[in-house]
Amino acid sequence: MNGTLGHIGVLLGFTAAVVGMVVIVVGLARGRTETLRRARVYAPLILLGGVVAVAAMQRALITHDFSLTYVADNNSRSTPLLYSITGMWSALAGSILLWGIVLGGYTTAMVWRFRARAGDQLVAWATLVMYAVSAFFFALMLGPADPFTHVSGAIPANGLGPNVLLQDNPLVLFHPPMLYLGFVGFTLPFAFAVASLITGRVDEDWQGETRRWTLFAWTFLTVGIVLGAWWSYQVLGWGGFWAWDPVENASLLPWLVGTAYLHSVMVQQRRGLLRVWNLSLVIATFSLTILGTFLTRSGVIQSVHAFSTSTIGPLLLGFFGLVLAVGVGLIAWRGDRLRSPGGIDSMVSREGAFLANNLLFVLFTFIVLLGTVFPLLYEALNSGAQVAVGAPYFNRLVIPLGLALLFLMAVAPALPWRKSSSEVMQARLAVPASLGVLVVVACVLGGIHGIEPLLAFGLGAFAAASAGRALVLSVRGAWRGARAAGMAPARAALAGWRGFVGRANGGMVVHIGIVIIAVGLAGATAFGQRGTVVLVRGETSSFAGHTVEFVGTRLVRSPSHISQEALIRVDGGAVFTPAISQFGTGTQAVGTPAIDSSVASDVYLTINSIPDNGGAWTFGVVVQPLVMWLWIGGALVVVGSVLSAIPGRRRRPTDPVSAPVTDAASPGEPGISGPAPDRTSPVASGSVDPTVTDVPVPSREPAPEPEPEPQPVGAGEAP
């Protein structure tokens, strides 16, 4: 029954996607707006098909229906309920099923969001692309990635159970779904980019359509990556959180390009520049999600995260090539319409900093991509000979890029649009730069050495202070505006929270979170210490300034596994329990670390060996400073992303061409008549920040202007 119900759901999703495509094509070919509107109904049917299939799979897993091959291979009667549920995305076919339902959800949300414009050709083409991608993934489930195939022969009495590493930590419930919400979410901006190119509407309209969708996808992917690092740290037992594993890199690649796009799109919306570049970034981001899917689900790479060998690899690779060919071909076709009306006046400007930021992110992406696929290319070109690209390659090349990005994070918020001057930069960056220098001096006096960590700490302080300055000015401006509107001081103070919302202000919170992550990475990687201690029961040893006492052992049994735990007291305080666990019979034993975590450092404990005769045990000990700040920084990035999605005050775009400012009171605002400003005045020369707060109030140092929100995309609609 479960298999039949699941097949019905998959077939429903595939049929709805294909029929929806046909209806849209007919409506576009015949110019029938009403036909295009009717095509909306197929999106919920795609979602319904995914829901039915997922419900069937979950029922099969929870009831241990071993008549299905997928359940027999990834579930057992002793598997706890939590890991029975997560078993759906613990192997290849189930992960494609998760992809399908998430894609159905995004497609339905998009159709509902733009329901008032269903007859618009731009929206119709975007919907067609979403249906086409949905049809591809549901077709995989009808063929080589069918999760509902029946076992051949007799139905087994019990299953093999999930991978032991996927039933040792509850983070498996959240990490993969967050990654998929990020990966699949980038389909929507790709669909609108393709639609804008096909229709020839390559202005800024489609950017406004998709900005928040892109931000949501980026946020989910960020959460997934951070949770993956946390899961790796807590489960795998090697004491690290990022190993430059090919599957880790597969999630990082679209994140890097998506981050570049979220920055450069502001230049297009504000100045009308970088049109080809932004379209290329959107297409590259979605293409990299498909490439990452190929790497993890084709069996071409060996990784603790990768799925087993399958036959869908060539199909995914072909789909990746098709996406890339369509995107590049459309950009080439519409090249004459993509010319920007102006140019970057000066590299010492906000748009110049964004361009430099983008170049660094793209270079970062290329380095990671090359290191990830080079072993595959080498093996293919050298008759199966294998070569490995390890962490030294990545660290040597990406650390300088990371430091350069920290510098840009410090400088960019203080740069005005168009051009700046030395007076402006000195006034805005003197305090943040001084703080960065003081941090470096304090670190040196405190005995910290090494050029890379010192630069990371100094530039991190510089960037955090610069972002903090922007937030302080924004909050102050919101408070003054509220006071000018007649609010009481207490209510005005509450109104100051508006200084944290909007794209620019939320972005500053994200920057602070990234700085915290960078500082945590620098501290953990530069000053971590690894070693082993050999102890008998009751014995104490010291390592890296910490005492480790072997208190005793205990055996813990549960229906799903047996664990041999060691009781270790750290620094005379709490007792921690690293363990070796056996999940089911005939499975490999896996280690589970124990972590004494604090804001200053982590003490990471593992069992390296257990004696046969009751003698001394060998424990691995890793002491790493500032690891907790990785997770704090990741949480702050998510908070900042949410704040960025809250609408701020809408702004008119700056004149895209390099023309004289026509009103000294409103520099950069087009269409305002008035006498030409005196070029020697502070505003015209750029020596005074021309940005304003949400409610303009005279001030000696006005707060930074929030980035412009996209203009409405339809009558009564806001993106």
Side-chain angles (χ1 to χ4, degrees):
M1 176 182 175
N2 291 318
T4 302
L5 186 62
H7 279 134
I8 290 173
V10 173
L11 186 60
L12 174 61
F14 175 75
T15 303
V18 172
V19 174
M21 290 170 58
V22 172
V23 172
I24 292 176
V25 169
V26 171
L28 290 170
R30 298 181 179 179
R32 295 179 179 177
T33 301
E34 190 57 35
T35 302
L36 296 178
R37 292 185 179 278
R38 290 197 195 100
R40 294 177 299 171
V41 71
Y42 298 101
L45 290 177
I46 295 173
L47 177 60
L48 178 61
V51 169
V52 170
V54 167
M57 177 56 69
Q58 287 295 342
R59 184 177 184 274
L61 289 166
I62 292 172
T63 60
H64 310 301
D65 181 2
F66 301 121
S67 66
L68 298 183
T69 302
Y70 186 87
V71 178
D73 291 342
N74 298 282
N75 190 258
S76 70
R77 297 192 182 279
S78 62
T79 302
L81 176 62
L82 172 64
Y83 300 112
S84 290
I85 294 172
T86 62
M88 193 186 82
W89 49 82
S90 295
L92 172 67
S95 71
I96 299 297
L97 180 56
L98 177 62
W99 189 294
I101 190 174
V102 172
L103 184 55
Y106 271 115
T107 304
T108 303
M110 189 201 82
V111 167
W112 181 85
R113 171 65 184 80
F114 298 108
R115 62 195 180 280
R117 296 182 55 193
D120 187 334
Q121 286 201 0
L122 180 72
V123 175
W125 276 106
T127 306
L128 176 61
V129 173
M130 296 293 289
Y131 284 173
V133 177
S134 299
F136 172 77
F137 279 96
F138 275 91
L140 290 179
M141 289 184 279
L142 288 175
D146 183 0
F148 297 103
T149 57
H150 284 264
V151 297
S152 58
I155 298 175
N158 201 355
L160 300 177
N163 185 310
V164 293
L165 294 175
L166 299 179
Q167 51 180 324
D168 196 28
N169 192 289
L171 282 176
V172 71
L173 179 65
F174 306 102
H175 165 53
M178 290 296 106
L179 284 181
Y180 281 58
L181 285 167
F183 277 154
V184 181
F186 286 121
T187 310
L188 197 144
F190 168 77
F192 271 96
V194 170
S196 70
L197 288 166
I198 292 175
T199 59
R201 292 161 58 177
V202 292
D203 54 13
E204 284 66 61
D205 187 34
W206 74 275
Q207 308 278 9
E209 309 277 9
T210 62
R211 184 185 75 82
R212 286 196 180 88
W213 297 92
T214 307
L215 182 60
F216 290 148
W218 183 88
T219 302
F220 283 127
L221 184 55
T222 302
V223 174
I225 291 173
V226 172
L227 289 179
W230 195 13
W231 175 83
S232 176
Y233 186 61
Q234 291 193 329
V235 170
L236 298 185
W238 62 290
F241 35 78
W242 192 267
W244 297 109
D245 179 274
V247 178
E248 294 173 344
N249 296 346
S251 65
L252 181 63
L253 289 169
W255 186 90
L256 291 170
V257 182
T259 305
Y261 170 71
L262 287 173
H263 286 83
S264 64
V265 70
M266 291 189 282
V267 179
Q268 181 170 346
Q269 292 184 298
R270 186 72 180 243
R271 295 288 311 278
L273 308 177
L274 305 181
R275 292 180 176 181
V276 175
W277 181 260
N278 283 324
L279 284 164
S280 301
L281 289 179
V282 171
I283 292 167
T285 301
F286 179 67
S287 300
L288 288 171
T289 66
I290 303 301
L291 179 63
T293 307
F294 163 74
L295 291 174
T296 57
R297 287 159 181 82
S298 62
V300 298
I301 59 173
Q302 298 298 319
S303 166
V304 68
H305 306 84
F307 296 103
S308 58
T309 302
S310 73
T311 59
I312 71 170
L315 296 174
L316 288 170
L317 192 59
F319 187 60
F320 165 74
L322 177 63
V323 168
L324 209 56
V326 168
V328 173
L330 287 173
I331 291 176
W333 178 43
R334 292 297 189 185
D336 58 330
R337 297 195 182 190
L338 293 173
R339 295 190 181 93
S340 298
I344 294 178
D345 299 325
S346 170
M347 285 302 295
V348 187
S349 62
R350 184 74 62 88
E351 53 267 49
F354 282 151
L355 179 59
N357 155 290
N358 270 227
L359 294 175
L360 289 175
F361 270 116
V362 170
L363 181 57
F364 199 141
T365 304
F366 175 76
I367 290 170
V368 176
L369 180 62
L370 179 63
T372 303
V373 303
F374 179 79
L376 303 179
L377 298 176
Y378 184 89
E379 182 177 355
L381 297 175
N382 291 274
S383 303
Q386 295 185 346
V387 64
V389 177
Y393 159 82
F394 293 102
N395 293 336
R396 186 175 298 116
L397 294 179
V398 304
I399 287 176
L401 295 180
L403 295 174
L405 286 169
L406 280 178
F407 175 76
L408 285 178
M409 287 171 57
V411 173
L415 287 169
W417 293 95
R418 294 183 179 279
K419 61 186 65 177
S420 185
S421 67
S422 58
E423 292 83 1
V424 170
M425 301 307 293
Q426 182 176 353
R428 299 180 186 179
L429 294 178
V431 173
S434 299
L435 181 60
V437 172
L438 287 176
V439 166
V440 172
V441 171
C443 289
V444 172
L445 293 177
I448 296 177
H449 302 289
I451 185 65
E452 290 175 352
L454 287 176
L455 283 174
F457 296 153
L459 290 172
F462 185 15
S466 180
R469 169 189 174 274
L471 288 173
V472 168
L473 293 177
S474 182
V475 171
R476 187 178 70 180
W479 180 83
R480 288 182 175 179
R483 290 289 291 143
M487 287 188 184
R491 290 191 62 192
L494 292 176
W497 78 273
R498 294 291 304 176
F500 289 100
V501 303
R503 180 165 57 189
N505 300 323
M508 292 302 100
V509 177
V510 172
H511 280 196
I512 293 174
I514 295 295
V515 166
I516 292 174
I517 291 174
V519 170
L521 282 172
T525 56
F527 305 111
Q529 299 183 61
R530 297 171 177 268
T532 59
V533 293
V534 180
L535 301 173
V536 297
R537 185 175 305 183
E539 190 176 3
T540 300
S541 180
S542 296
F543 180 81
H546 296 273
T547 59
V548 178
E549 179 187 357
F550 184 16
V551 177
T553 64
R554 67 184 179 194
L555 188 67
V556 178
R557 297 178 181 272
S558 74
S560 61
H561 65 279
I562 300 174
S563 297
Q564 177 71 61
E565 296 181 349
L567 308 179
I568 305 293
R569 179 174 284 112
V570 178
D571 295 331
V575 174
F576 297 88
T577 57
I580 299 289
S581 301
Q582 183 88 27
F583 291 83
T585 58
T587 61
Q588 180 181 0
V590 296
T592 302
I595 307 169
D596 179 11
S597 187
S598 69
V599 295
S601 66
D602 282 13
V603 179
Y604 190 96
L605 304 167
T606 58
I607 299 175
N608 285 4
S609 66
I610 300 177
D612 295 330
N613 54 3
W617 291 47
T618 303
F619 299 100
V621 184
V622 181
V623 177
Q624 296 183 108
L626 307 181
V627 172
M628 182 182 288
W629 291 98
L630 297 174
W631 326 128
I632 295 173
L636 198 57
V637 169
V638 175
V639 171
S641 301
V642 174
L643 293 173
S644 296
I646 300 174
R649 183 185 176 190
R650 294 185 184 276
R651 294 276 175 189
R652 287 174 291 178
T654 298
D655 188 354
V657 298
S658 304
V661 177
T662 59
D663 191 323
S666 300
E669 295 288 344
I672 302 176
S673 61
D678 179 3
R679 289 294 158 191
T680 62
S681 70
V683 171
S685 65
S687 60
V688 175
D689 188 351
T691 55
V692 294
T693 59
D694 284 344
V695 182
V697 176
S699 171
R700 295 182 62 184
E701 185 180 17
E705 174 187 3
E707 299 299 340
E709 295 294 325
Q711 295 302 312
V713 298
E717 295 182 3

